[in-house]
């Protein structure tokens, strides 16, 4: 049996690389580049906004040209280059804007290509969280290390070196990760246990039948012509069409609302990402506290990513997103009333819910409904909505409120936005249920659509851990 060591290592390096710098950029712009809070808010908006535009476009380019690996390497190289150039750039706002746009736009496609490759590699999508948790660990350790290095050096350049080293190692090791453009089919690159292959093949057949019944009228997904062949002869890619993705997003009210609440969760994350560390400094905290806070955030992701498949099977999409917004509300209220910078550490375990639970459910959903040949595009669109459009709105609106009304109002307003998101989510859920009960047309919950073919993955909490050990031993 082959252990899934490769995605674990790659997640550690990839998110460790980005964690080394991303969390400290708002403070870097404030202390090193002497930008105002309003200017930092604009940069915080531009960074995810260009991801929102760039990720789907470049992901679509990768899918249409079948040059996933080349585009991945170019993306990594250019994003690191322009981000490191910030250290030597003049201390003026226009220059920072230029480098941020170039770094984020060109680097936006790396995560969708990587994530889609991992999802295709896994014999059981419920194992996604057990790979992704290593990204949380890598991110947390990298933030802590960068914080200590910056404090010791009295300068910001060590965090950029940390990022460059980790992403370079990621690029080298990612050569072993099969991508959609590789032949033969990527799953054949890993010697999976025959029992797992057989179960996964049967599950996929069941899933395809369900997909035909529920989506035939809304998408052009053709299960008789799969994107890849799992036989020894040459793979035959399907002809990807971006309009298929748009049809999936707008196929029904609940699916559309699902993507909308992903944007809203990104808004909450955008407020935290851009202004929490600045708030900690206002309370008298230093970069050691900031690094420790982010380390605890990422550590909290690990157990929730590990059990994300189990949680999703029990709660479904609506349940996972409900937990997400309840945790956001508690987190923002805590921030609004804390007075000691060290107490921020007590709130950061909630990040495990606001991100790990949400992202595991969202990623599995996007992968499951992606039309043939557009898996990377769908992951890019999902990431663009959360890390792009949502984070941009959080930075822009949060920055304006912070500038005019202060930190407490900003966090309380964010708690209110999370509460409204929860109301919207349940309005869509109740509307879906009303249609299901009043019509003969199947309008099953998205969680059932995703997991009707995987009901045997976790039969009980007693044998759950033993199954995982057998798969990853």
């Amino acid at each position: 049996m082959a252990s899934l060591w490769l995605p674990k290592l790659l997640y550690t390096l990839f998110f460790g690389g980005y964690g080394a710098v991303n969390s400290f950029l708002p403070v870097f712009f404030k202390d090193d580049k002497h930008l105002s809070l309003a200017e930092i808010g604009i940069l915080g908006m531009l960074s995810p906004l260009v991801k929102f535009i760039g990720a789907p476009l470049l992901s679509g380019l990768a899918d249409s040209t079948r040059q996933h690996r080349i585009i991945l390497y170019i993306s990594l190289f250019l994003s690191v280059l322009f981000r490191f150039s910030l250290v030597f750039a003049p201390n003026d706002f226009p220059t920072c804007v230029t480098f941020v746009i170039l770094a984020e736009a060109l680097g936006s496609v790396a995560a969708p290509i990587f994530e889609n490759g991992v999802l295709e590699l896994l014999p059981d999508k419920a194992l996604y969280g057990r790979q992704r948790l290593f990204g949380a660990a890598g991110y947390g350790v990298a933030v802590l290390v960068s914080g200590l290095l910056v404090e010791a050096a009295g300068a910001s350049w060590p965090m950029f070196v940390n990022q460059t080293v980790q992403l370079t190692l990621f690029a080298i090791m990612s050569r072993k990760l099969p991508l959609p453009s590789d032949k033969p089919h990527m799953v054949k690159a890993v010697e999976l246990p025959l029992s797992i292959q057989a179960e996964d093949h049967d599950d996929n057949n069941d899933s395809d039948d369900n997909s035909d019944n529920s989506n035939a009228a809304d998408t052009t997904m053709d299960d008789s012509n799969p994107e890849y062949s799992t036989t020894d002869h040459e793979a035959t890619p399907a002809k990807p069409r971006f309009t298929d993705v748009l049809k999936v997003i707008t196929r029904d009210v609940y699916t559309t609302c699902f993507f909308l609440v992903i944007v809203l969760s990104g808004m909450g994350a955008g407020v935290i990402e851009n202004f929490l560390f600045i708030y900690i400094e206002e309370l008298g905290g230093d970069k050691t506290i900031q690094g420790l806070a982010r380390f605890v955030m990422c550590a909290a992701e690990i157990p929730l990513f590990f059990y994300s498949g189990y949680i999703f099977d029990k709660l479904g999409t609506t349940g996972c997103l409900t937990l997400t917004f309840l945790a956001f509300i508690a987190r923002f209220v805590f921030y609004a009333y804390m007075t000691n910078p060290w107490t921020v550490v007590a709130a950061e375990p909630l990040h495990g819910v606001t991100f790990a639970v949400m992202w595991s459910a969202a990623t599995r959903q996007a992968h499951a409904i992606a039309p043939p040949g557009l898996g990377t595009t769908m992951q890019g669109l999902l990431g663009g909505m959360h890390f792009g459009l949502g984070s941009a709105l959080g930075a822009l609106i949060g920055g304006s409120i912070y500038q005019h009304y202060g930190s407490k109002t900003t966090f309380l307003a964010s708690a209110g936005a999370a509460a409204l998101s929860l109301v919207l989510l349940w309005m869509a859920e109740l509307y879906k249920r009303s249609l299901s009960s009043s019509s003969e047309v199947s309008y099953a919950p998205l969680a059932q659509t995703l997991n009707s073919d995987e009901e045997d993955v976790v039969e009980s909490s007693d044998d759950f851990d033993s199954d995982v050990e057998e798969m990853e031993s």
Side-chain angles (χ1 to χ4, degrees):
M1 294 184 182
S3 61
L4 296 174
W5 63 268
L6 180 60
K8 294 177 176 64
L9 175 61
L10 291 178
Y11 270 118
T12 302
L13 294 172
F14 185 81
F15 286 99
Y18 282 99
V21 169
N22 285 9
S23 297
F24 296 104
L25 278 179
V27 178
F28 169 77
F29 289 133
K30 175 175 175 288
D31 295 344
D32 291 47
K33 299 303 177 182
H34 310 295
L35 302 183
S36 67
L37 287 177
E39 290 172 330
I40 293 172
I42 293 174
L43 287 176
M45 175 200 69
L46 286 176
S47 175
L49 185 60
V50 295
K51 287 181 182 177
F52 172 67
I53 299 172
L57 291 178
L58 293 178
S59 297
L61 177 65
D63 278 333
S64 61
T65 62
R66 318 303 295 171
Q67 297 296 325
H68 297 83
R69 195 172 301 281
I70 293 175
I71 293 176
L72 173 63
Y73 291 156
I74 293 175
S75 172
L76 289 169
F77 173 75
L78 292 178
S79 64
V80 169
L81 175 65
F82 286 113
R83 199 171 283 110
F84 205 119
S85 298
L86 284 168
V87 178
F88 310 102
N91 295 347
D92 63 83
F93 182 60
T95 302
C96 291
V97 167
T98 301
F99 284 154
V100 165
I101 290 177
L102 290 172
E104 299 302 333
L106 295 172
S108 62
V109 73
I113 292 177
F114 169 45
E115 293 255 74
N116 190 56
V118 171
L119 284 165
E120 290 286 355
L121 179 68
L122 296 177
D124 180 352
K125 302 306 177 283
L127 295 175
Y128 167 79
R130 290 158 188 74
Q131 320 311 312
R132 181 59 177 80
L133 67 85
F134 283 84
Y139 196 104
V141 172
V143 172
L144 185 59
V145 170
S146 286
L148 294 173
L149 290 175
V150 168
E151 283 290 330
S156 298
W157 61 264
M159 68 183 187
F160 292 96
V161 173
N162 188 5
Q163 179 179 77
T164 302
V165 170
Q166 294 206 55
L167 290 182
T168 299
L169 291 174
F170 169 84
I172 294 172
M173 295 304 300
S174 67
R175 293 180 302 169
K176 299 180 179 294
L177 177 69
L179 295 177
S181 52
D182 297 338
K183 301 173 183 178
H185 185 268
M186 60 189 62
V187 176
K188 290 173 64 64
V190 178
E191 295 179 1
L192 299 175
L194 292 178
S195 60
I196 294 178
Q197 293 186 34
E199 291 173 7
D200 190 52
H201 178 69
D202 292 338
D203 285 346
N204 286 337
N205 287 340
D206 294 340
S207 178
D208 290 343
D209 292 340
N210 293 334
S211 180
D212 285 342
N213 293 334
S214 60
N215 300 331
D218 301 299
T219 71
T220 57
M221 297 168 68
D222 181 7
D223 297 308
S224 64
N225 181 27
E227 181 182 359
Y228 306 109
S229 170
T230 55
T231 62
D232 290 334
H233 57 72
E234 207 173 75
T236 304
K239 212 172 187 179
R241 296 190 301 177
F242 186 74
T243 53
D244 292 348
V245 172
L246 299 181
K247 289 179 182 179
V248 169
I249 294 174
T250 58
R251 68 181 183 178
D252 56 58
V253 172
Y254 186 88
T255 304
T256 303
C257 285
F258 164 78
F259 283 100
L260 178 58
V261 297
I262 291 300
V263 173
L264 295 172
S265 69
M267 287 181 61
V271 171
I272 295 172
E273 189 70 24
N274 286 280
F275 303 109
L276 178 60
F277 280 12
I278 292 175
Y279 180 46
I280 290 174
E281 283 199 342
E282 289 180 357
L283 294 177
D286 57 16
K287 290 182 174 61
T288 299
I289 297 178
Q290 296 168 357
L292 180 61
R294 188 52 59 97
F295 176 79
V296 172
M297 286 171 60
C298 296
E301 293 179 25
I302 294 175
L304 288 167
F305 267 127
F306 187 85
Y307 288 105
S308 60
Y310 179 77
I311 294 171
F312 185 82
D313 289 336
K314 291 295 184 182
L315 300 180
T317 303
T318 300
C320 289
L321 293 176
T322 297
L323 281 181
T324 296
F325 288 113
L326 287 175
F328 264 130
I329 293 170
R331 197 173 176 188
F332 283 129
V333 170
F334 186 96
Y335 292 156
Y337 290 101
M338 72 178 188
T339 56
N340 187 317
W342 282 100
T343 58
V344 71
V345 177
E348 298 317 274
L350 289 172
H351 178 75
V353 180
T354 58
F355 182 69
V357 172
M358 178 278 302
W359 191 245
S360 294
T363 303
R364 287 179 62 184
Q365 160 67 4
H367 179 77
I369 66 176
L374 289 169
T376 299
T377 303
M378 185 62 81
Q379 292 298 324
L381 187 62
L382 177 71
M385 287 184 170
H386 179 80
F387 300 108
L389 181 60
S391 293
L393 292 173
L396 179 64
I397 298 172
S400 178
I401 297 174
Y402 205 117
Q403 182 80 15
H404 293 93
Y405 301 103
S407 57
K408 182 176 181 179
T409 301
T410 301
F411 292 126
L412 289 178
S414 299
L420 290 176
S421 303
L422 195 57
V423 171
L424 175 64
L425 173 66
W426 273 97
M427 287 176 63
E429 171 68 19
L430 294 174
Y431 178 73
K432 176 187 64 179
R433 293 182 183 182
S434 68
L435 288 182
S436 179
S437 61
S438 63
S439 173
E440 294 181 359
V441 178
S442 174
Y443 200 86
L446 286 182
Q448 294 176 3
T449 301
L450 291 179
N451 293 299
S452 61
D453 61 329
E454 296 180 327
E455 292 176 353
D456 295 331
V457 173
V458 182
E459 295 183 358
S460 68
S461 58
D462 294 330
D463 59 6
F464 179 75
D465 291 329
S466 62
D467 288 344
V468 173
E469 291 175 2
E470 182 180 350
M471 288 181 181
E472 298 197 12
S473 62

